[in-house]
Amino acid sequence: MATDALEPVYLIAGSDRPKVRRALRRLRARFPEESVDLLSADATSAADAAAACNALGLFGSDGGRLVIVEGVERWKRDDVEALAQYLASPTPGSVLALVADDRPRDSKLADLCGQKGQVLAYDAPKPKDLAAWVRTEFERLGARADEDAPRALVEIVGDDVGALAAEIDRIATWAGKEPVTRADVEALATPSRETAAWALTDAWGARDAGAALAACEAELAAKEPFLLAVRLASHVSLVRTVQLLAEEGLGAREIAKRVRLHEFRVRKALGHAANYSRDELDAAVLRLAELDAALKGASPLASELELERALVDLTAAGAHAA
C-alpha cells in the first residue's frame, strides 16, 4: 500500500482516548498488518524506534512500514535529540506514530513532530461539556438521542470518556434506527463507578436478602463492616427522604434539585422506595441505629455477623425494628 501521502512522523496525543484510538486505527489501516510494529516507550528509546523504521531499508516492503510507540510522554531530552537526528533524513516508506496518554511534558517533542510531520491532539471535554460530547458521539454512530439521554449516560457512567464511548457504542448498536431515550439509558447503561457499592444498596432496595448478603460478603473482603453500615444507612435515609418528597407531589427532577444529587440516583432511590412502606423505612432507620451501636461495642457478637443479621432484618417483608 502506498504511503507517499503520509508524513514520516505523527504525534497522536490527548486525554480523549476514544479519539486517539480512532486516529491510530485509521493510520494502521493504511498498512498491511505484517508491516506494523507496536512498541512501548517503557522499553523502547527514540533511537530504537528510529532503528525499527530504518529496518524497512534492510528488508524492504511494498506496503511500507508503520512503527507505533505507545507512552512517549515518558521520553526524555536525549530521546527528542535522537528523534531529531532520524527525522533529518527519515526512511522513505516508514511512518513513525508516537502515542501519548496525555500532552507530552516536553513541548520540544510536539514542536519537532509538528515541524517534521503532524500533531494530532484530542483533549477530552470538560465535565460541563460531557453531555454535548455524548450527543455528538451518538450522532457520529448514526444514532439519535433525545434531550435527556446524553445527560443520563453521564450521570450513570461518570466522566471517564473511555467508559462513556464503550457505552455509547453498545447502546447505539442496540437502538439501531430507533431514538435513544433516558429510559433506554437507565435500563442499559452500566455504572463504571461505585458498582460494588451499589450492589449492596440495590439488593436492599429490591428486598433481596440473598443478594444483599452476597454483596456484603464480597465487600467485607476489603472494607470494614462499619463503613458498609454507614453507606447503607445513608442510602436508607435518602430513600426515606425521596419517598416523603414524592408524596408531596414532586417529580424526580425536582427532588434531585432539592437533595442536590444526580437525577439518576434519585430515580433509583424512588424505585427502592416503592418496595417499602413509610413505617418500614422508619423501622429501618431504628434498626440501623441499633446496628451502629452494636458495631461500636454494644454487642459481644462479631461485627460481620451483626451486619449480616441487620441485612436480613432490613430486607424481610413487613420488617419492623426489634
Side-chain angles (χ1 to χ4, degrees):
M1 186 175 295
T3 58
D4 54 347
L6 294 174
E7 302 285 355
V9 64
Y10 292 88
L11 175 61
I12 309 174
S15 53
D16 192 334
R17 303 306 298 165
K19 287 186 179 179
V20 168
R21 290 297 152 193
R22 285 202 295 271
L24 192 56
R25 284 198 298 270
R26 288 196 297 269
L27 190 56
R28 289 189 68 154
R30 301 285 297 272
F31 296 83
E33 193 59 35
E34 65 273 12
S35 298
V36 177
D37 283 348
L38 182 58
L39 308 172
S40 170
D42 285 330
T44 304
S45 67
D48 295 332
C53 290
N54 286 328
L56 174 64
L58 297 175
F59 301 107
S61 173
D62 292 337
R65 187 179 187 84
L66 174 64
V67 176
I68 301 170
V69 186
E70 300 264 7
V72 296
E73 70 275 6
R74 292 185 281 275
W75 273 357
K76 297 179 172 56
R77 181 178 301 177
D78 290 347
D79 292 296
V80 177
E81 294 175 355
L83 180 62
Q85 292 178 9
Y86 167 73
L87 291 176
S89 182
T91 301
S94 280
V95 174
L96 183 58
L98 308 177
V99 184
D101 292 337
D102 208 335
R103 298 292 184 97
R105 290 187 295 269
D106 190 344
S107 62
K108 292 182 179 179
L109 177 61
D111 292 342
L112 175 63
C113 292
Q115 294 168 8
K116 301 295 184 178
Q118 189 173 359
V119 176
L120 303 175
Y122 303 101
D123 289 326
K126 297 178 180 178
K128 65 183 181 65
D129 299 324
L130 274 173
W133 180 87
V134 168
R135 182 178 300 283
T136 299
E137 288 297 290
F138 271 124
E139 292 172 353
R140 183 183 64 81
L141 294 173
R144 292 178 294 142
D146 71 12
E147 182 180 353
D148 284 343
R151 184 170 63 239
L153 192 63
V154 174
E155 291 171 358
I156 296 170
V157 176
D159 58 6
D160 183 327
V161 292
L164 284 168
E167 291 298 310
I168 292 167
D169 184 68
R170 185 168 65 85
I171 293 173
T173 300
W174 171 85
K177 296 182 179 180
E178 296 298 318
V180 178
T181 67
R182 169 179 275 275
D184 294 331
V185 170
E186 292 178 349
L188 297 171
T190 302
S192 63
R193 300 182 300 179
E194 302 177 359
T195 303
W198 287 352
L200 177 59
T201 53
D202 282 354
W204 168 79
R207 306 198 79 141
D208 188 335
L213 289 171
C216 177
E217 182 179 356
E219 286 210 67
L220 283 174
K223 294 183 176 67
E224 293 294 324
F226 179 74
L227 296 177
L228 302 188
V230 168
R231 189 202 309 144
L232 182 59
S234 175
H235 184 68
V236 170
S237 178
L238 172 64
V239 171
R240 187 166 174 264
T241 298
V242 302
Q243 185 186 72
L244 292 172
L245 291 173
E247 289 174 356
E248 293 177 8
L250 297 181
R253 185 169 297 181
E254 291 76 15
I255 295 174
K257 293 178 180 178
R258 181 79 65 88
V259 299
R260 297 182 179 180
L261 290 174
H262 282 308
E263 188 177 338
F264 170 75
R265 287 195 60 190
V266 169
R267 289 178 180 274
K268 182 182 286 287
L270 285 170
H272 295 171
N275 294 326
Y276 290 89
S277 69
R278 183 187 297 188
D279 287 344
E280 286 177 324
L281 291 177
D282 289 343
V285 171
L286 295 176
R287 181 65 181 90
L288 286 164
E290 292 177 357
L291 174 61
D292 180 71
L295 296 179
K296 290 178 178 177
S299 170
L301 299 179
S303 296
E304 291 82 0
L305 179 57
E306 285 287 0
L307 177 59
E308 291 170 354
R309 290 178 63 185
L311 284 172
V312 172
D313 290 343
L314 291 167
T315 54
H320 291 281

